Amino acid sequence: MNTFKSGLTALAILVAPIGAYALPTPVCVSDNTAPKVVNYSKTNRPAPKKRLFKSKAVDRKIAEVKKMLKNEKLAWMFENCFPNTIDTTVHFRKDKEDGKNDTFVYTGDIHAMWLRDSGAQVWPYIQLANEDPELRAMVEGTIRRQFKLINIDPYANAFNDGPTGGDWQEDLTDMKPELHERKWEIDSLCYPIRLAYEYWKKTGDASIFDETWLEAIGKIYTTFVEQQRKNGDRGPYKFQRSSERSTDSLPIDGWGYPVSGCGLIVSCFRPSDDATVFQYLVPSNFFAVTSLRKAAEILTEVNNKPEMAAKCAALADEVETALKKYATYNHPEYGTIYAFEVDGYGNHNLMDDANVPSLIAMPYLGDVDVNDPIYQNTRRFVWSDSNPFFFKGSAGEGIGGPHIGYDKAWPMSIMMKALTSTDDEEIKECVTMLLNTDANRGFMHESFDVNNPEHFTREWFAWQNTLFGELILKLINDGKLDLLNSIEL
């Protein structure tokens, strides 16, 4: 068995980040511009007239939580972060053609809609949807928009608000003017299913599962099967980009490195929008399994489509069986762990990346049980120096990735550690670290320098902001208010 232990030098990734999760030049804030004194009683939210979308339920929840939290900075950051998606990125309207709810969601500083990000950004608001008809309509509109975008091109990861073209129209792939970017990532098709399923379960509204949904799930299934790449058939997708970043393009004429056709699904790119090395991305394949089973349940209970439901369920079983056979590695220190990427030939890429789906985040997405022994071994591995993208410094620690480079930890990884932890002290350490690495801005950033958090990337990144709010709400709902109130800065 050949094992590829990924390394920073081997992957040749230290170049200026571009694409979905960074501006062409990272936003770095110098020491002398960081605020030294912060007024925690003054919100950093936009003025009410400048907020893109307003929700009485969200505002009530913010007021309720602020009264519960004793730590002034924690209460201030919750107020800033939890509504950031609706305050700054949500464009809610009626569709011009069918008159139904329609929501286009920016990622933040990039004015395009990622299927992954938009699904994650509005996810925490579902728990309040039954308290606020307008909030519920906004989430419904996001789901409807996602299904329509999938039907434009199931291989695309990000879309424009209309056929406006954009920066990546010259990519060597089947671009369309509606596409912002066409990087094939498994999770782009999983997040919409996850969001729609949860919305249905929480609200009872099955109206979203109409003909547009049926077309979308048909394309999702077909795309997954094509990207199993069985019998030497690579399918219709290939991708190349003229770029100085090796992770922005696929080798071997745009096909990527070979895979065995073992039943797993190829993901040419990671959730970070960086190219995979071995194209069976393990956490994304786990996500595909649970997503296909959710789809099968919807198709059975709502659409009365037993044949299509059976196909989705059978594909989920096939991928799950292949994961059990090919996705694990016997590590000399940590025992049996999940690899990050495999190729079905016996090669493994041993690492984790901060973006979700990731190995550490699999219980958060419901893809593995948090007490699964292999997951627990993997968790210890990824939060250690054995993971080449784990960075630890004087100010903090966490998982990064090749998208940003050395010594940059993503707050998302710290939040995922807390969201999947069963240890109160570990959770407290994670929340404290998040509070201490915001550079006194009151928001999460894409990444921060583990030795100087005043150096960070992306000042406006709505997913991480709203995820911070989701974390705090979950901890309160789980009965951990005393833990939060024990934090002292």
Side-chain angles (χ1 to χ4, degrees):
M1 179 181 294
N2 297 319
T3 300
F4 174 72
K5 176 65 164 62
S6 73
L8 295 169
T9 303
L11 292 182
I13 46 78
L14 291 179
V15 284
I18 23 182
Y21 290 107
L23 296 169
T25 301
V27 180
C28 293
V29 180
S30 61
D31 297 349
N32 60 9
T33 61
K36 303 303 180 185
V37 179
V38 179
N39 181 0
Y40 296 138
S41 65
K42 184 178 180 181
T43 181
N44 278 357
R45 296 180 69 184
K49 289 184 179 180
K50 295 184 177 181
R51 295 171 190 170
L52 294 182
F53 184 87
K54 298 175 184 178
S55 166
K56 293 179 181 178
V58 171
D59 287 341
R60 284 196 300 267
K61 182 58 67 173
I62 291 170
E64 175 189 329
V65 169
K66 284 185 68 181
K67 289 180 180 179
M68 300 168 73
L69 295 174
K70 295 179 180 179
N71 186 297
E72 282 188 305
K73 184 171 185 181
L74 179 55
W76 176 66
M77 289 183 64
F78 178 81
E79 179 179 19
N80 295 335
C81 290
F82 183 57
N84 192 241
T85 286
I86 59 172
D87 281 353
T88 66
T89 70
V90 163
H91 299 262
F92 175 67
R93 61 275 179 114
K94 296 291 184 179
D95 186 272
K96 293 179 180 178
E97 295 183 3
D98 61 22
K100 295 179 180 178
N101 292 320
D102 179 45
T103 310
F104 193 89
V105 185
Y106 291 167
T107 67
D109 52 23
I110 301 173
H111 294 174
M113 182 168 173
W114 266 256
L115 291 171
R116 167 186 52 258
D117 294 48
S118 60
Q121 284 168 248
V122 305
W123 169 269
Y125 304 127
I126 294 179
Q127 61 191 293
L128 303 175
N130 289 329
E131 303 173 25
D132 186 338
E134 292 182 354
L135 186 67
R136 173 173 162 170
M138 183 277 292
V139 176
E140 177 198 342
T142 305
I143 295 165
R144 292 187 181 279
R145 165 64 65 156
Q146 288 180 329
F147 292 161
K148 289 175 182 177
L149 296 178
I150 289 169
N151 289 337
I152 291 172
D153 186 350
Y155 280 104
N157 57 327
F159 296 81
N160 303 316
D161 193 3
T164 58
D167 295 338
W168 309 122
Q169 291 297 308
E170 301 303 315
D171 287 346
L172 300 178
T173 188
D174 186 15
M175 286 297 290
K176 300 180 179 70
E178 293 89 351
L179 310 186
H180 176 78
E181 192 171 49
R182 193 175 189 257
K183 289 181 173 179
W184 159 237
E185 302 161 3
I186 290 174
D187 67 281
S188 293
L189 301 184
C190 296
Y191 271 101
I193 297 174
R194 173 182 183 248
L195 182 69
Y197 181 87
E198 185 73 4
Y199 170 83
W200 170 50
K201 288 296 184 179
K202 285 290 193 297
T203 68
D205 179 12
S207 68
I208 54 173
F209 301 122
D210 55 14
E211 291 302 316
T212 303
W213 147 256
L214 288 174
E215 181 182 354
I217 189 58
K219 290 189 175 182
I220 289 169
Y221 175 82
T222 297
T223 303
F224 282 169
V225 171
E226 287 174 345
Q227 289 308 312
Q228 287 183 296
R229 299 195 180 183
K230 293 182 177 180
N231 304 314
D233 183 357
R234 292 189 292 270
Y237 177 83
K238 59 190 298 190
F239 182 97
Q240 289 177 291
R241 173 178 293 173
S242 178
S243 172
E244 73 276 15
R245 297 185 76 241
S246 63
T247 54
D248 250 351
S249 190
L250 295 176
I252 315 181
D253 297 324
W255 296 109
Y257 290 117
V259 293
S260 69
C262 64
L264 294 173
I265 302 168
V266 161
S267 187
C268 294
F269 290 88
R270 301 168 181 169
S272 60
D273 299 339
D274 292 319
T276 48
V277 179
F278 301 135
Q279 295 194 92
Y280 294 140
L281 183 58
V282 169
S284 291
N285 271 268
F286 271 100
F287 199 11
V289 170
T290 56
S291 299
L292 285 164
R293 287 176 176 156
K294 289 180 172 74
E297 183 180 340
I298 296 163
L299 289 163
T300 299
E301 296 191 13
V302 177
N303 301 118
N304 192 25
K305 299 287 186 181
E307 292 184 4
M308 188 63 196
K311 287 182 178 181
C312 288
L315 180 57
D317 291 345
E318 181 184 6
V319 175
E320 183 179 57
T321 298
L323 283 166
K324 290 177 180 178
K325 184 174 182 179
Y326 295 99
T328 58
Y329 174 75
N330 188 19
H331 193 279
E333 182 175 355
Y334 297 99
T336 302
I337 65 172
Y338 292 114
F340 185 62
E341 297 168 352
V342 298
D343 61 4
Y345 292 113
N347 299 296
H348 302 75
N349 186 1
L350 304 182
M351 58 169 281
D352 200 15
D353 193 294
N355 217 299
V356 177
S358 61
L359 292 174
I360 199 170
M362 289 196 294
Y364 164 76
L365 293 173
D367 299 335
V368 300
D369 190 292
V370 71
N371 296 311
D372 170 22
I374 301 176
Y375 169 75
Q376 285 297 323
N377 291 344
T378 307
R379 181 187 180 85
R380 291 187 297 115
F381 160 77
V382 301
W383 208 270
S384 77
D385 291 337
S386 294
N387 173 10
F389 292 104
F390 173 77
F391 302 115
K392 185 174 183 177
S394 58
E397 63 184 40
I399 301 169
H403 201 79
I404 298 302
Y406 283 110
D407 296 325
K408 297 293 195 303
W410 284 47
M412 186 177 292
S413 71
I414 303 169
M415 288 184 263
M416 285 301 143
K417 186 181 183 185
L419 284 162
T420 58
S421 179
T422 57
D423 183 328
D424 282 359
E425 190 57 37
E426 185 176 75
I427 295 169
K428 183 176 178 180
E429 289 174 358
C430 289
V431 176
T432 302
M433 195 186 312
L434 292 167
L435 295 179
N436 283 332
T437 54
D438 74 316
N440 284 333
R441 259 61 183 184
F443 291 105
M444 297 292 101
H445 302 120
E446 176 186 50
S447 70
F448 65 89
D449 189 312
V450 292
N451 294 302
N452 186 354
E454 290 174 356
H455 294 167
F456 58 81
T457 58
R458 289 191 81 178
E459 194 159 5
W460 176 23
F461 188 15
W463 179 7
Q464 295 220 53
N465 287 327
T466 311
L467 183 64
F468 178 79
E470 179 184 344
L471 168 63
I472 301 307
L473 275 184
K474 182 180 185 299
L475 293 175
I476 292 173
N477 293 338
D478 288 349
K480 298 190 184 297
L481 179 60
D482 289 344
L483 180 153
L484 292 173
N485 284 334
S486 71
I487 295 173
E488 297 179 0
L489 301 179

